[in-house]
Amino acid sequence: MSNPSILILPGDGIGPEVMAEVRKIISWYGDNRGLAFDVSEDLVGGAAYDAHGTPLHDDTMTKAQEVDAVLLGAVGGPKYDNLDFSVKPERGLLRLRKEMDLFANLRPAQCFDALADFSSLKKDVVAGLDIMIVRELTSGIYFGEPRGIFEEGNERVGINTQRYTESEIERVARSAFELARRRGNKVCSMEKANVMESGILWREVVQKVHDEEYADVELSHMYADAGAMQLCRWPKQFDVIVTDNLFGDLLSDAAAMLTGSLGMLPSASLGAPMANGRPKALYEPVHGSAPDIAGEGKANPIACVLSFAMALRYSFDQGAEADRLEQAVEKVLADGVRTADLLGEEGVTPVSTSEMGDAIIAALNASL
Ligand code: IPM
Ligand code: MG
């Protein structure tokens, strides 16, 4: 049998730097755990635009459809701000999500004990926090038609459309309930059913999926604005949150910041199972390309490393090895190793991106 395959798309800004650390860890698993992967690499975002005039070449799209998992760094940067909308770096990422049909975006917000002081919230509000946001990723206002900027009378009008079918809501609701069963068994669904018809349908369908298939899971509903407020007030009331594409974008950034640093958080975007039973999958850090520090060796690779841990868990059935990697990261943090984004304690000198990667490898070695 051939090795499981991974396509690495480092992308722009700090993407290549943080991905270099993930490559070390992938090699470590081959050398030490008998987990060899066939790794290939390609361009996405601004890097692809520079080479091919498009943020995602068709050949790259084809490769992404064929591998067992895609790992993506980050896309975008000021250099590309004035490009036409259709070739902006973000369009490459959105095309991957849409064409791979990665409808369930899992964004954990987990507060590491060693970092509880970094949150802008009080320590007791965030210590031990472990929630999972499941964001619908391939529909809603990000993709709905009609969209565009049109002439109307003597002015222009910008239009985007929020649109959800029952089956789109059903499948992401199922993902959320399945996850909840393996965690705290609670789902809170967020929409704006008080203002939007798509929200009314969302609420009805989530409730129906619950009643018919997941009555054992505790389900609540919240308006998304109240949900944002509750996330800041007492985030530990949540286990799994399921929400649409745009609300999920906003709520997951807010949830991420509760944990102290955006540089820590991974994500998995999962689609329907392939022939081999594994879901189509793309893993990426929640953070962006951080052009202000790109190329300086300052970036925190942990979000990208933890994204690979999610790949081990969700694409490669290696839950124990994912635990090992997450524990190695926890140990490194507990030992006080800090990249520049995590400074705050006195007398701590930051380590570089590659030193953080080496520290994680050392912790992995110590785990054997
Ligand atoms: C995210 C990002 C993307 C989004 C951008 C880069 C297109 O903010 O993954 O949360 O809006 O989905
Ligand atoms: Mg976002």
Side-chain angles (χ1 to χ4, degrees):
M1 228 174 73
S2 60
N3 295 328
S5 53
I6 297 179
L7 173 64
I8 291 189
L9 302 174
D12 307 322
I14 60 171
E17 294 160 64
V18 295
M19 201 57 89
E21 302 315 304
V22 175
R23 286 200 92 130
K24 287 186 198 165
I25 287 165
I26 295 174
S27 303
W28 185 90
Y29 274 95
D31 295 343
N32 295 279
R33 305 301 303 158
L35 285 175
F37 296 97
D38 286 338
V39 180
S40 54
E41 189 167 316
D42 211 328
L43 303 172
V44 70
Y49 178 81
D50 288 341
H52 307 300
T54 162
L56 187 74
H57 196 279
D58 289 343
D59 292 349
T60 316
M61 187 67 241
T62 305
K63 275 191 224 165
Q65 298 281 18
E66 286 166 357
V67 292
D68 292 307
V70 178
L71 297 184
L72 188 139
V75 293
K79 185 177 161 195
Y80 308 105
D81 279 352
N82 296 322
L83 287 183
D84 187 73
F85 183 74
S86 63
V87 290
K88 277 195 184 296
E90 291 77 7
R91 304 308 305 170
L93 175 57
L94 292 167
R95 180 176 172 203
L96 279 165
R97 290 174 178 173
K98 187 69 179 173
E99 292 194 19
M100 292 171 76
D101 202 16
L102 305 171
F103 60 87
N105 180 217
L106 279 44
R107 299 192 162 184
Q110 219 177 333
C111 184
F112 291 87
D113 283 344
L115 299 182
D117 281 324
F118 287 89
S119 175
S120 51
L121 299 188
K122 293 198 184 80
K123 188 168 179 169
D124 68 312
V125 176
V126 295
L129 180 71
D130 179 8
I131 61 184
M132 178 73 87
I133 296 189
V134 179
R135 166 188 176 193
E136 199 293 323
L137 201 60
T138 50
S139 184
I141 200 161
Y142 271 56
F143 297 99
E145 299 283 346
R147 67 181 298 163
I149 300 176
F150 305 98
E151 301 285 339
E152 197 176 277
N154 52 6
E155 62 175 355
R156 292 179 306 158
V157 52
I159 297 180
N160 291 90
T161 302
Q162 167 83 334
R163 181 179 192 279
Y164 272 108
T165 64
E166 289 182 295
S167 51
E168 285 169 341
I169 304 168
E170 274 164 17
R171 63 184 187 172
V172 73
R174 279 193 195 101
S175 303
F177 288 125
E178 290 290 338
L179 268 170
R181 276 186 179 158
R182 285 182 266 140
R183 300 171 39 98
N185 214 38
K186 265 198 322 194
V187 171
C188 181
S189 168
M190 296 188 186
E191 28 54 22
K192 288 277 290 177
N194 51 344
V195 194
M196 299 163 73
E197 286 79 359
S198 60
I200 296 175
L201 186 71
W202 182 281
R203 186 177 284 224
E204 270 177 32
V205 172
V206 172
Q207 186 67 50
K208 178 163 164 277
V209 171
H210 169 267
D211 296 350
E212 290 177 358
E213 300 168 44
Y214 298 94
D216 55 300
V217 180
E218 194 186 313
L219 171 66
S220 58
H221 303 273
M222 217 178 255
Y223 298 140
D225 54 344
M229 186 265 283
Q230 290 297 340
L231 264 177
C232 300
R233 192 184 71 87
W234 191 244
K236 285 188 244 180
Q237 69 187 280
F238 298 113
D239 175 31
V240 173
I241 292 172
V242 64
T243 190
D244 75 16
N245 204 342
L246 182 59
F247 293 142
D249 184 39
L250 307 180
L251 292 169
S252 64
D253 263 29
M257 206 55 223
L258 299 176
T259 69
S261 169
L262 212 48
M264 302 291 299
L265 295 177
S267 80
S269 303
L270 306 178
M274 300 183 281
N276 62 13
R278 295 177 177 138
K280 280 232 167 115
L282 179 146
Y283 300 87
E284 58 176 319
V286 171
H287 64 68
S289 62
D292 51 320
I293 58 162
E296 295 180 18
K298 282 186 189 165
N300 184 349
I302 290 181
C304 205
V305 169
L306 292 176
S307 298
F308 176 61
M310 290 186 92
L312 287 171
R313 179 170 292 118
Y314 295 110
S315 283
F316 302 119
D317 293 323
Q318 296 288 340
E321 297 301 336
D323 290 346
R324 178 193 300 279
L325 183 50
E326 287 164 359
Q327 282 157 14
V329 167
E330 242 171 276
K331 174 167 188 309
V332 162
L333 293 172
D335 289 347
V337 182
R338 301 281 184 263
T339 39
D341 55 311
L342 300 176
L343 291 188
E345 298 125 310
E346 280 195 23
V348 180
T349 317
V351 300
S352 68
T353 308
S354 71
E355 285 166 335
M356 179 59 95
D358 293 343
I360 297 170
I361 298 271
L364 284 171
N365 283 329
S367 76
L368 293 175

